[in-house]
Each structure stands twice: as C-alpha cells, then as structure tokens.
Amino acid sequence: MEQNVTKNITAKDEILEVLQKYFPQCFDKNNNFNFEKFKKELQLQDVIFSKESYTLDWLGKSYARLLATDPATTLLKEDKEWNSKKENRESQNLLIRGDNLEVLKHLSNAYYNKIKIIYIDPPYNTENDNFIYQDDRKFTVDELAKLAGIDEEKAKRILDFVNSKSNSHSAWLTFMYPRLYIARRLLKDDGAIFVSIDENELAQLRILMDEIFGEENFVALVPRKTGAGAAATRSDSELRKLNDYVLIYKKNKLVFKKKIVGEKTYPYVDEKGRYNLVPFQASGSDATRSARPNMYYPIYLLPDGTLTTKENKNAIKTILPNKVNGEDGRWLWSAKKFEEDIELICYENGKLQKKDYFDPSKDNKKYQVEKAWFDQFPNPSGTKRLNDLFEPLKGLFNNPKPVELIKFLINLIKTTENEEIIILDYFAGSGTTGDAVMQLNAEDGGNRKYILVQIPEPIDPDKKKVAYDFVKNELGVEKPTIFEITKERLVRAARKIKEEIIENKMAKIEAEIKKLEAQLDEDNKEEINRLRKELDALKSQDLGFKIFETTPIWEDYEFKAEDFEPQLNMFDEGKLTEEDIQMLLTTWKTYDGVLLTQDLNEIDLDGYTGYYFDNKIYLMFRGFEIKHLKKLLEKIDADKDFNPSTIIVFGYNFDSKTLREISENVSSYTNKKGIDIEFIIRY
C-alpha cells in the first residue's frame, strides 16, 4: 500500500470519524464525504434542515475552515544536541519552535484527546501588539474556489484580503478559527481551555468559541484586574481601563472542582474523599472512664499494622487511653462500634486517630465556588517574576502574564490521582505557563507536563532594544527572536525553582528523617518511609524540556504517490542527509500516534538500522537487502516482545525490485504464520 503521508498531514477530525462510523454510505471510494447524500439520509428520518440559524460570519471564514483542514507544509525537526543533555534526556516537557497552526496539525494524532488544559494568550489585535495577519499558503483564485466551495468572485476577495496584511476583525477571526478548531480536538473530554483577551476582540471571540466548543460548554467570562491603569488626563473621554478577561470553556463534561474552604482542615485524600485525622481519644468534661465505662478498653496493634479489640498474643503493642487529670481517659467509641468501623481508625505517629471525612451534605458552607473576578493577579507580578529571573535586565518582555494566574487556573480543574496532566500553551510568549507548571509540581509533588509553542518572531532592534541586545550579545543568536527568550526563561526558571523550592524542601525533609531516626522508635518507621518517598519525588522533578521545530518540506518534493515512478526521478533523493531522514521519521512517528517525547527503539537487522515502537517498524535508509529482511523475520520469530503489525518504508530509498521482494516475503511469512503484518510504502 502506498501513502503520501508527508504531503497529507491534516488535523484529526472527530466529527468525520463519527460520520464514517454511522454513515459509511455517504463516503465515496476515496473517502470523500457526500453532503447531499447525507442530507437525504437525514430527511428519511424526518430531520429538517432550516435555512436560518444564528452564526458568526466574516470575510475569510471559508478560508479559515480550509486552513483548519489543509495539510501541513512542514516537517518536524528534533534539536538532538539540546535533547541529549542530561537534564533534558528523560524530560516529558516540550518547547516547539514554529507557526502554531502547523504545530497543532503535527500534534493532532499523537496528542488527540490527551491535553487536559489549554491556556493561550493570543494577540489582542490592539495597536500595541502589532498583530498583522499574513499567511504563507499560496492558492490561486480557482484553487481556493474549488477547495473552499465558493464562487471565484468571493475567492478573489478573500485572497486580496489575506494578502493585504490586515489587522481587521475578519483577519483576526481568520487567524484564530483554525487554531481553536484543532485545539478542541486535542482536549480530553474533561479538559478545559482558558483564553486571555481584552475588549478589542472579546465579542467576536465569545461567539467564535460558542461555535467551536458549543454554547453549552461556556463556563465563565472572568474580568482580571491588570493594574492601576494609565493616569487620566483632561482630554480623556473614555473610562479608564483596569482589566482584561479570561474566557473559559470546557470540552464536554463538568470539569471544575469546588474548593473546600480551609483545605488544610482536610489535607488527606483517599478513594472515599478528603479527610482530616482527629484523635480517637475523647476530650471534654466527660472524657473519662468513670463517665463512659464502656468506652474504656485496650486496643491491640498487630505486626501487619492492623488494629483489634480482641486480645492477641502476637500483638506488638497494647494501647490504652491516656490519663485525664489523673483519671483513666476513654475512647470516642465503644468496642463494638470500633470493630464495625475499624477502617476509619489508623495508628499514625504513635497515636490512635480517626478519619474525619468532609461531608458536603451536612455542611454546604464548607464548599466555595471561586468568584468570577480575578483581582489578585495584576500584571506587575508577572513583570516582577521575569525581572527577577533576568536580573539586572528589565523591560525584556511587555506585560508577561503572572505565574500565579496560570497556577490558579490549572488548580481549578478536577484531576484524579496519578492522572497524566498535559498543559498546552501555543502562544507561549515569555514562557509563563512552563514556569507555572514547574512551580506547581515542586510545591505539591505533582506530575504535570507542558507543551509550549512559540513562533520565531523577530525582535525589532528599535522598539525592543533591551531584548534584541540580550538575545544577540548574551545568548549569541545572530537573528534574535522571541523564541530565544522563551527558551532562556524556562532554563532560568527551572534553576530558580530547584534552588529556592526543591532544595529547601529537601533539606527540611532530610533533617526530619535524621531527627526521627535518632529517636530509635519503631513507630517512626512508617513516617520515615513516607518522607523518603517524598524526597525521591522531589529529586526526580522534571525541570528539563525537549526542543523541536517545524521546517519546510524539501524543495521539489511535490507529487502524488499514485503518480510516482522511480525512473522519472521527480525528486533527487540523493541529496537527503541523515538529518533529513531523521526529520521525516520524527514527522511520521507523530503522525502515527507516537508522542514527541517518546524515542523510537533502534533495531539492528544484520548491520541495517531500523526503528521500532508501538508495533510499527520504520525502514528509512538506503542499502536494505534480502539478508536484512531475513534477519527481521527471524527476530519476529524469536523475540516474543517484538510483535510488529506494520512495516513502513521510505519509498524513495528503496528500488522497485527490493520493495516487491519485501512485500512478497512479508505476505508469504504472514500467511504461513497466520498473522497480519501490513506493508506500507510512504513518500
């Protein structure tokens, strides 16, 4: 089977998948959807198509829809030198350099339905952010008319508008639509998206997100106090602006957690919920044996840590209530109730304690819904954090978002224990989201990962001289871009978090362990083990990140696989370097659903290197011979952990004779063994 994957990478479309599942008769042999046939199917079920509906329309909407489904025009390239550094080698964090629309398309298979939280701070389309819409995709009027399903007159108007470097509402919506459309498909069903915006595009964005995410999934429009605002002058005719907004949508399910007032009162969590530990011994005026004789009895601690009121010769400890004013004390419960509810009692730090669970049905006042007004995250705190990281430099980046805001938003979302949490920010800017994720993990031992995307936007040496000089002179980059600031901020933030949070916490834990060990008390062992686990978690905190970037597909790499004939030599494959092949491999593995942070396994096939992961084998280089195929089949026979279901080869690097031999031998082998291995030729 031949595939032209390199030139046909598009965003995964869950709607199309549903249609293919339930209406396969509405697709032709080339998998094209026939909308007229689909309408007839629905009409048979008395579904009426209304010609009138509430919608947002603008010049360029059909073009924006095309961009959302148009194939990517780039490959993914790994920064191998950076990623091989010790601190980055095992990291699951990502920083990707490139146009975020291209990056989202590349991520759409591997990260489909895997992102828990998206936070973005897109251009506000104000005079200050210099937003100008430009698109490097080139369509003729005729091509656009056919692809977008519009007439040529409208196609011409759209292309004129696209090429005009516009910053109109239409330009901004055309820019945002495909980026939000694809982003929704990356979100988990219980995920959420937060978008920072101001009044310039607020109205348009709200309706656009209603269309993409569904009006029913709107959560809140939250004003955020940005600061004191500019001083008013006599000529001012407007009200002074003191805020921007955070627009919040969920994907499908209710994902926002209610905050428990005074969470420190209920610091522990298990499968039953949040709880506090309270002493099992009674207190108060009647907390004596004489007041409640049936609540005085011995409790036995067994070697396996269980408790019982029944005398046991294997008990390692007999526990009685402490004295109260010289009298015997008593427990909270009778012996009978103790045995009935034994799962609520534990022996912690040398004390009998009861689990006191939070019960919202008994006290709803303990629940607090966060207010839809953020007055605690002003811009100056974001600027201060950045200045602290780059001291003594100031003015490196205008109005970076506060780390505290991002941390707060992340903590709004419901999560389960050990859940894989990925936070995506595809307008990374100075890298605040990555900083926030690392801080949160260091503070609570979490296992969140981030994916940041930043376009290499050139830094204007006249308007942003401080940033330009820093990147060029300090970082040694000949053509300074915002990406270098993002990267450097993450490096410096990781260093500061390690020094100020992680190492400080580790020192306190180590001191506590030494103190407990010095007491030579058997009852301290459990606490020591808990502290050691906490210490190990801090030592393994992920403070690194891997770097990838988008790069244009090679020149002259233009053909359809079904038209390819090696003898025509339409593309000079001889000029491809090993780095080029590795780019192709990175792009293909992501298309096939392998995470960017997951390395493929190299396999030695009698001197020929192949790559294997998730039941897929990639054969990319020249020089493949029948002896290598023989070794591959032998490995499948001998290695129980090696079970490929697909063999993918780079067609340019294999002659037709070798391809035919591989196909025939694999077919013969699979028939003989009664297994299925698909053979795919890609270009």
Side-chain angles (χ1 to χ4, degrees), residues 185-353:
R185 280 141 182 75
L186 299 180
L187 274 179
K188 286 186 169 185
D189 284 344
D190 60 352
I193 181 169
F194 302 88
V195 185
S196 284
I197 198 68
D198 78 354
E199 67 277 0
N200 285 281
E201 296 293 352
L202 174 60
Q204 289 70 239
L205 179 63
R206 172 72 188 270
I207 300 174
L208 180 64
M209 293 192 70
D210 278 349
E211 180 173 323
I212 293 174
F213 287 86
E215 190 174 356
E216 70 279 8
N217 288 315
F218 167 77
V219 175
L221 173 62
V222 187
R224 179 186 72 97
K225 183 178 179 181
T226 55
T233 67
R234 288 185 179 181
S235 62
D236 282 345
S237 59
E238 299 176 359
L239 296 173
R240 193 157 46 132
K241 299 179 181 69
L242 300 175
N243 68 280
D244 59 12
Y245 302 87
V246 179
L247 189 55
I248 308 173
Y249 280 74
K250 60 184 183 290
K251 171 81 175 279
N252 283 317
K253 301 172 184 175
L254 183 63
V255 298
F256 290 86
K257 64 186 180 187
K258 292 178 180 177
K259 181 181 178 183
I260 297 173
V261 177
E263 286 195 2
K264 290 183 180 178
T265 310
Y266 297 90
Y268 308 102
V269 181
D270 63 14
E271 67 279 359
K272 292 184 178 180
R274 188 174 288 277
Y275 66 92
N276 183 28
L277 289 176
V278 298
F280 185 60
Q281 181 163 338
S283 61
S285 58
D286 65 343
T288 59
R289 179 179 182 179
S290 59
R292 305 289 293 273
N294 66 324
M295 293 185 182
Y296 178 89
Y297 49 88
I299 295 172
Y300 302 97
L301 176 66
L302 303 183
D304 62 359
T306 59
L307 299 163
T308 182
T309 58
K310 298 169 184 174
E311 189 172 359
N312 191 308
K313 64 180 181 180
N314 295 319
I316 59 175
K317 194 177 187 73
T318 301
I319 310 165
L320 288 168
N322 294 325
K323 298 281 185 180
V324 177
N325 296 326
E327 292 187 58
D328 288 336
R330 69 168 177 86
W331 303 123
L332 289 175
W333 298 338
S334 66
K336 180 182 178 184
K337 181 171 175 54
F338 180 93
E339 292 293 345
E340 289 174 350
D341 293 327
I342 186 66
E343 73 278 0
L344 296 178
I345 307 300
C346 58
Y347 188 70
E348 296 272 351
N349 299 324
K351 298 178 183 178
L352 269 178
Q353 301 193 76

Side-chain angles (χ1 to χ4, degrees), residues 127-227:
E127 293 179 1
N128 296 327
D129 68 17
N130 298 315
F131 168 75
I132 294 177
Y133 179 73
Q134 287 181 273
D135 188 81
D136 59 6
R137 286 168 173 77
K138 303 299 180 186
F139 297 102
T140 66
V141 170
D142 184 56
E143 286 173 337
L144 180 58
K146 289 179 180 177
L147 289 170
I150 56 179
D151 59 49
E152 292 189 2
E153 181 183 351
K154 187 172 183 180
K156 184 179 185 306
R157 287 175 59 214
I158 290 173
L159 289 177
D160 288 343
F161 143 71
V162 167
N163 296 323
S164 67
K165 298 183 180 180
S166 173
N167 69 336
S168 64
H169 291 310
S170 291
W172 191 85
L173 287 165
T174 302
F175 171 77
M176 289 297 296
Y177 179 91
R179 289 161 173 82
L180 289 169
Y181 183 89
I182 299 173
R184 184 185 180 279
R185 280 141 182 75
L186 299 180
L187 274 179
K188 286 186 169 185
D189 284 344
D190 60 352
I193 181 169
F194 302 88
V195 185
S196 284
I197 198 68
D198 78 354
E199 67 277 0
N200 285 281
E201 296 293 352
L202 174 60
Q204 289 70 239
L205 179 63
R206 172 72 188 270
I207 300 174
L208 180 64
M209 293 192 70
D210 278 349
E211 180 173 323
I212 293 174
F213 287 86
E215 190 174 356
E216 70 279 8
N217 288 315
F218 167 77
V219 175
L221 173 62
V222 187
R224 179 186 72 97
K225 183 178 179 181
T226 55

Side-chain angles (χ1 to χ4, degrees), residues 9-37:
I9 293 176
T10 57
K12 190 178 182 73
D13 193 333
E14 59 192 11
I15 296 174
L16 204 60
E17 288 185 345
V18 171
L19 290 172
Q20 287 170 332
K21 180 177 180 179
Y22 294 104
F23 296 93
Q25 68 273 27
C26 297
F27 289 82
D28 64 20
K29 64 179 181 180
N30 296 317
N31 211 30
N32 296 314
F33 182 62
N34 187 323
F35 185 66
E36 292 304 317
K37 192 171 183 180

Side-chain angles (χ1 to χ4, degrees), residues 55-94:
T55 185
L56 174 66
D57 202 4
W58 69 90
L59 179 64
K61 186 172 185 178
S62 53
Y63 184 75
R65 285 173 168 164
L66 176 60
L67 293 183
T69 56
D70 190 44
T73 60
T74 55
L75 299 175
L76 285 171
K77 179 182 178 182
E78 180 180 4
D79 186 337
K80 285 189 173 290
E81 182 180 355
W82 177 267
N83 295 353
S84 63
K85 290 183 177 182
K86 182 181 178 181
E87 63 270 27
N88 304 321
R89 201 175 302 141
E90 302 299 325
S91 179
Q92 299 299 301
N93 298 317
L94 285 170

Side-chain angles (χ1 to χ4, degrees), residues 395-423:
L396 201 62
F397 196 92
N398 294 335
N399 295 320
K401 286 296 182 288
V403 169
E404 294 77 16
L405 170 66
I406 312 302
K407 289 164 65 175
F408 180 86
L409 296 177
I410 292 171
N411 273 332
L412 281 178
I413 306 302
K414 286 180 183 176
T415 57
T416 58
E417 192 174 359
N418 300 321
E419 181 181 356
E420 182 180 280
I421 305 297
I422 303 176
I423 294 103

